[in-house]
Amino acid sequence: MDICVVLPEECISRIISFTSPRDACRSSVVSPAFKSAADSDAVWETFLPSDYQQIISSSSSTTTTLVSLPKKDLYFYLCDNHLLINNGTLSFSLNKESGKKCYMVGARRLSIAWGDNPQYWTWIDQRLLPESRFAEVAELKDVWWLDVKGRLETKTLSSKTNYVAYLVFKFANSRHGFESRPIELSVHLEGSESETRRDKRVVLDPPRNSLPRPYQRRGDGWMEIEMGEFFNEHGDDGIVFCSLFDFHEGYTKGGLIVEGIELRPKI
């Protein structure tokens, strides 16, 4: 017996909404009736974050155009594009498999020691680095004290989700100080630093013949290195802190270009 004859489309949509985006896409090829149900706004709105309208409204993109899209089209738009929010200092997208939230904290939103002093750091316009999603990125000129911190309220992230934080960066043509001395990377939740903090020390730019490399090359022209991970239980843990640090008097570093710190669900 054809289930589409027995059950109205609304019931089929309701059932599919308890599955996953991948399952909904698979269901849409079963039959014309299933396609109508699986592609419905009723299904795909359940895969969008509950606060998606608020997120979109804080974007510099054309809000009206995005909100008017069918919910399935909006879902995949947010998976395939980076929505700039909070005055262009924060990037938002969705993980295509799960619909979980992904954020990148742009360099302008990071706390960078001596970041406002052009002797130590300079700011590069996007017109000179078009591969950046942000209007500006930060380039390290020369410091002894390397201290970069990012923070994000956990309530903005998806709950009951393991997140991994990544430093997104590249090197300038001329760099120094990263080839032998390790830097410290850490991630921890506010108020539970001793329990959740996991520091790691890595040599960011080891010799070319050193394998494996500590970073991965991304498809957008940047590189990333894992800083650490954490579990976001209910989203009420306060703030997650991510940091990059090194200090050695007389041993300077330079040539690091920072786009931001990205938080993505662990796959």
Side-chain angles (χ1 to χ4, degrees), residues 2 9 13 16 23 28 38 62 67 81 83 105 125 153 159 174 186-187 192 202 221 231 233 237 260 263 265 267:
D2 189 347
E9 182 178 309
S13 294
I16 296 174
D23 290 332
S28 68
T62 307
V67 172
N81 297 274
L83 202 64
V105 183
D125 192 279
E153 293 185 356
S159 60
S174 175
S186 69
V187 174
S192 56
V202 297
F231 182 68
E233 179 69 42
D237 295 314
L263 291 91
I267 299 176

Side-chain angles (χ1 to χ4, degrees), residues 13-14 16-19 41-50 71:
S13 294
R14 180 66 173 167
I16 296 174
S17 70
F18 287 105
T19 62
D41 282 354
V43 168
W44 286 91
E45 186 149 25
T46 65
F47 299 145
L48 290 166
S50 59
K71 296 301 183 284

Side-chain angles (χ1 to χ4, degrees), residues 215-246:
Y215 53 77
Q216 299 290 326
R217 294 191 180 276
R218 297 160 53 103
D220 58 3
W222 294 85
M223 300 183 292
E224 66 180 27
I225 186 168
E226 183 177 322
M227 303 178 71
E229 61 182 79
F230 64 97
F231 182 68
N232 189 37
E233 179 69 42
H234 302 295
D236 56 0
D237 295 314
I239 298 172
V240 58
F241 294 92
C242 310
S243 66
L244 162 70
F245 179 81
D246 184 54

Side-chain angles (χ1 to χ4, degrees), residues 51 101 152-158 232 234-238:
D51 58 348
K101 298 176 180 178
L152 194 66
E153 293 185 356
T154 56
K155 67 181 181 182
T156 65
L157 300 169
S158 298
N232 189 37
H234 302 295
D236 56 0
D237 295 314

Side-chain angles (χ1 to χ4, degrees), residues 93-105:
S93 62
L94 294 178
N95 176 273
K96 187 173 289 187
E97 294 290 327
S98 64
K100 303 282 190 179
K101 298 176 180 178
C102 306
Y103 285 95
M104 187 188 293
V105 183

Side-chain angles (χ1 to χ4, degrees), residues 37 99 116 140 150 155 170 235 257 259:
D116 57 350
L140 174 63
K155 67 181 181 182
K170 63 171 53 182
I257 302 175
E259 183 178 40

Side-chain angles (χ1 to χ4, degrees), residues 84 87-91 104-110 112 115-116 121-139 168 222 257-261:
L84 293 180
N87 297 317
T89 62
L90 196 64
S91 169
M104 187 188 293
V105 183
R108 270 298 183 191
R109 194 181 174 91
L110 299 175
I112 301 177
D116 57 350
W121 290 85
T122 59
W123 292 89
I124 305 175
D125 192 279
Q126 187 183 40
R127 288 171 294 185
L128 299 177
L129 270 179
E131 62 268 31
S132 175
R133 67 186 65 175
F134 298 108
E136 291 180 301
V137 297
E139 179 178 354
V168 181
W222 294 85
I257 302 175
V258 177
E259 183 178 40
I261 294 175

